[in-house]
Amino acid sequence: MPVFPIIATPAGPVSSDAPAWNRQRRSQMPSHRYRNVFDKVDVPLAERTWPDRKLTEAPLWVPVDLRDGNQALPEPMDPARKKRFFELMVAMGYKEIEVGYPSASQTDFDFVRVLAHTDLAPDDVTIVVFTPARRDLIERTIESIRGITNDVVVHMYTATAPIWRDVVLGRDSDNVRALILAGATDVLELAGDLANVRFEFSPEVFNLTEPDYVLDVCDAVTTLWDATRQRPVILNLPATVEVATPNVYADQIEYMHHNIARRDCVILSVHPHNDRGTGIACAELAVLAGAQRVEGCIFGNGERTGNVDIATLALNLHAQGIDPMIDFSDIDEIRRTVEYCNQLEMHPRHPYVGDLVHTAFSGTHQDAIKKGFVEHHARAAKESLPATAVEWRVPYLPIDPADIGRSYDAVIRVNSQSGKGGIAYLLETGFGVELPRRLQIDLARHVQRRTDLDGTELSADQLWRIFHEVYVGGKDAADVALISFDSHDEHERTTTRVTLEIEGQQSNSTHEGVGPVEALIEALTVHNRHIEILSLTQTSVRAGNDSDALTMVEYRTVDGSGWVAGVDRSVLTATLNAVVRAVNSAGHTIAAR
């Protein structure tokens, strides 16, 4: 193997006189069509301090999932999903939430009105509403917040970057400035007398706007709105389209931090997007540079490649020993809610929340993690402290999975994760069954127990028998059976009749306007068999006319969660059998949550 010399060379593109080991083939991509961002935005920052600073506390987090994130969904949230997402954010501890764009849709307007007429928003939660700088839309926005007793932020925006001025607005810089001040005047006129209302301004595409121009516009707005310490103005500076390395954004934020007027009367906010994949870095460096507030989405949903992921940002702080001020102690429940509301599945490698983030397939990683766990618990025993009170020092795992509600079983199983992959492969190739990832992990535990006993290699048929024994099984001690099930439409409304046998006694019930699974769960609930279906996956066993339907169900009761399955020629029967199996597996009587 050749030994390459270490040669110090100035930063820059590879040239024809570069060392032979550093020459690269030119691509055929038309890179010459694009200008370096430094040619577009020259930040007049004489001295930067952000590289020497350290993060010491959490900024104010502002989730924009209900507005910016919602606008980016193929299917925007209906009122029920919006309500569930809002309740999640409140439960997690967010104190300022952007709830919608009331002038853009009736659904958003109506949701804001719900907050005005109910106690859905606790008194200490600030409501943010979003509007362009146009009088009729501002009027509609202010109309939506009438009667809300919580603190409210009216968030006005206008694009300020040259391309947007030229291509989108068709106005020069002076006309855009006048448009912004006219909108700010309308906001002040319509809401200035509301004591619980504060104002926010976003010069959209801030990061591509001339620094002196955006500074002038922001100062004009804070002067017009008379920013004070008692009623501060939020200046939100979005990297609407990420176009530069994160240090450029940090310089831009620091320039504003040092030069805006009424600095002690302004809350400096940032709203990074993720077009270059560095939204997290942009936000972290922006906070070092003086930002006090970060807007983004939980797990990073948003237009194009998304908004900055404020869950990852918060847990990055947690991993450095800084309280993120937000509760992620049940991250899987947070994920389920976000996936349900967004109708978007989380990537298994997504930081902190993905199914595989605590899993190692490499043998060397597995060995290091195992040794780290042994050492961690040994230190806890030596100091007579619970494991959660001892400094976390486990290789490859930046945080303790227990902090976010993950069980240690999921990490300890890392020693058999390669086996899990093999199990999944054999069942898929032998039976056409593709298991959900969390069910793969659960099944691997049972298979490992079997292989530990006899030490033999298992075939696909043997694996299928283990799967059937563990998850399908038969009627067990809980003694719940489905006798009959009939669902049909009456007067344009679905009516379902369910007959159950519970502890030897038959019971009939009728359910209207719900699907088959919901009807069965309602029937079981009448008899104090309470169960929550977390996920339901339907597939077939083998292919062809003689294939069986397979339904796999992840359920939860007060006693914990688990997996069951149902197999039948009928998809519906397989699904209902799985639900009954889940109830039987949970025990006799499960108290209502």
Side-chain angles (χ1 to χ4, degrees), residues 481-486 496-502 505-511 519 522-524 526-527:
L482 176 62
I483 303 301
S484 66
F485 186 97
D486 177 64
T496 302
R497 294 184 176 87
V498 180
T499 301
L500 295 171
E501 179 183 297
I502 299 183
Q505 300 295 317
Q506 286 197 9
S507 170
N508 301 304
S509 58
T510 301
H511 311 268
E522 286 183 0
L524 292 164
V526 171
H527 296 281

Side-chain angles (χ1 to χ4, degrees), residues 241-311:
V241 181
E242 194 181 27
V243 295
T245 49
N247 61 295
V248 176
Y249 190 52
D251 281 353
Q252 292 172 315
I253 298 303
E254 182 156 357
Y255 175 74
M256 295 294 289
H257 170 57
H258 287 315
N259 290 282
I260 53 175
R262 305 188 182 209
R263 181 64 187 92
D264 59 345
C265 306
V266 168
I267 298 172
L268 201 59
S269 174
V270 291
H271 182 122
H273 279 251
N274 198 44
D275 299 86
R276 290 169 53 96
T278 56
I280 294 290
C282 281
E284 290 180 331
L285 297 190
V287 173
L288 292 176
Q292 302 150 288
R293 179 181 183 270
V294 177
E295 295 184 355
C297 287
I298 302 172
F299 305 135
N301 176 48
E303 295 284 8
R304 306 179 309 280
T305 57
N307 290 290
V308 70
D309 179 346
I310 58 174

